[in-house]
Amino acid sequence: TIAPASRIARPAIAAATIAADPESHVYGIDASGGRLGVLSQLPNTGDVIQAEEQDRVVRLLGMLKALVAERSTAQTATPPVLLLIDGFSAFRDTYEHLGGGADPFADLVEITRAGRGAGVHVVYTSERASGFPASLASSIPERLVLRLAAETDYQMLGVSAGIFEGALAGRAVRIGSEDEIQLAVPGASGDPSDTDAALAELAERQRALGGQVPASVPRIPQAIRRDELTLAAGTGAPFAIDTVQLEPVPAPESGFLLVTGPAGSGRTTSVQSLLEAFEEQALSVGQELDAILISPNRSTLRELPLWQETADTPDAREAVIERITRALGGSAPTAGGLSMLPLIGSGISAESPAAPVPAAPAVFPAVGRRGVVVVEDIGGFDGSGNERALAGLLKLLRRSDLTVIVEGENAT
């Protein structure tokens, strides 16, 4: 820990790490105004990410956490990895209570706690002496203090402020020992131009040595063509990429799927990608899709060429829901009402009411086909008259082996 960080300290630490082991990999999260960007020229640097790039920060910390776990299992610790967190207080304010499923702050705590034994080391800089929670501070054995802005900060850290009187930039004190040290600079002086020149020379020397190139943390593409995604044979058809390793994600072979999100979030595109993946899966085993669309309104999805049937009008919905219900062993709901009573004075007919004509047996999916049912805009069925029949069908579909996609704006 260096608090606060001088502009010399960051490149000095990275340069010293590489000098100690030229195979070292360097990563940075910059929450202090872009001061780590100078390290990007080094071939040892995997990536320097601005703290506001939340997606990439989450993926970097997830990647390093997985690396620590992998190395701990394999009992390896090479090549060394250095992670620089510049401006920890600002980083903590942004990520400690992020929410939304990912927990990059917890990942960072775990990397700091378990990383040393796996060759993954973390250096923090902070402008505030009180910026570290106990869960993290207990895993930081080495702490350096540079000149601080307020004398109360020295008291909080148990360091005498008099040590820095008349000291040059780069003077530091080791907390707990009062040992004074003077940080070395990468260049001929502490001037930024000398530092840049020294790092450029170091970069040239490292390129000449070759060595393993560290993995970068690229931005997630804004548009992904599904036909550009490939998986190893026999591992399924991809429909998306994961946001940590950017590796293709195979579509499920069966099951009940929910696609939800607000308007404009990509629900329709998600359904299209899944359907194309299902079709690819079926073709890979010599099948075709038997795909049915049920929608409360005329749907843009109906333009897809893979449907065997589309039900987005009242009559079509009623007929399709009844047919699939019977195919799955259920009985379609019948309209209820009072029996017609005879008029006063009229005789009661002895004729029995005509027996209902049995419905033709229903089959879905057709033999040799993979059945897929898509229920679009599930919330839009309120007031359609199909609510009861659709609810019964969904219960049957949940217990079936068919692939079902339910799409809607609200998950409930």
Side-chain angles (χ1 to χ4, degrees), residues 284-359:
S284 69
V285 293
Q287 290 183 328
E288 293 183 9
L289 285 189
D290 206 344
I292 291 179
L293 171 66
I294 304 173
S295 178
N297 301 293
R298 188 169 179 84
S299 168
T300 57
L301 284 174
R302 70 170 7 254
E303 304 303 326
L304 295 177
L306 51 76
W307 301 115
Q308 303 308 123
E309 203 165 353
T310 58
D312 56 6
T313 63
D315 291 342
R317 286 195 300 269
E318 183 178 351
V320 167
I321 291 174
E322 179 181 353
R323 182 169 67 83
I324 302 176
T325 297
R326 288 191 291 106
L328 296 178
S331 56
T334 56
L338 294 175
S339 302
M340 291 295 293
L341 297 177
L343 296 176
I344 298 175
S346 64
I348 301 176
S349 174
E351 296 181 4
S352 301
V357 178

Side-chain angles (χ1 to χ4, degrees), residues 46-67:
D47 243 317
V48 173
I49 301 172
Q50 299 303 308
E52 59 268 22
E53 296 185 81
Q54 178 179 310
D55 173 74
R56 297 179 72 206
V57 168
V58 169
R59 287 192 287 128
L60 171 60
L61 295 177
M63 181 182 77
L64 294 181
K65 180 184 176 183
L67 177 65

Side-chain angles (χ1 to χ4, degrees), residues 138-159:
S138 61
S139 299
I140 303 177
E142 181 78 16
R143 305 184 195 185
L144 303 179
V145 180
L146 285 83
R147 189 186 303 276
L148 297 172
E151 190 162 334
T152 53
D153 287 335
Y154 292 112
Q155 296 171 358
M156 186 177 298
L157 294 170
V159 175

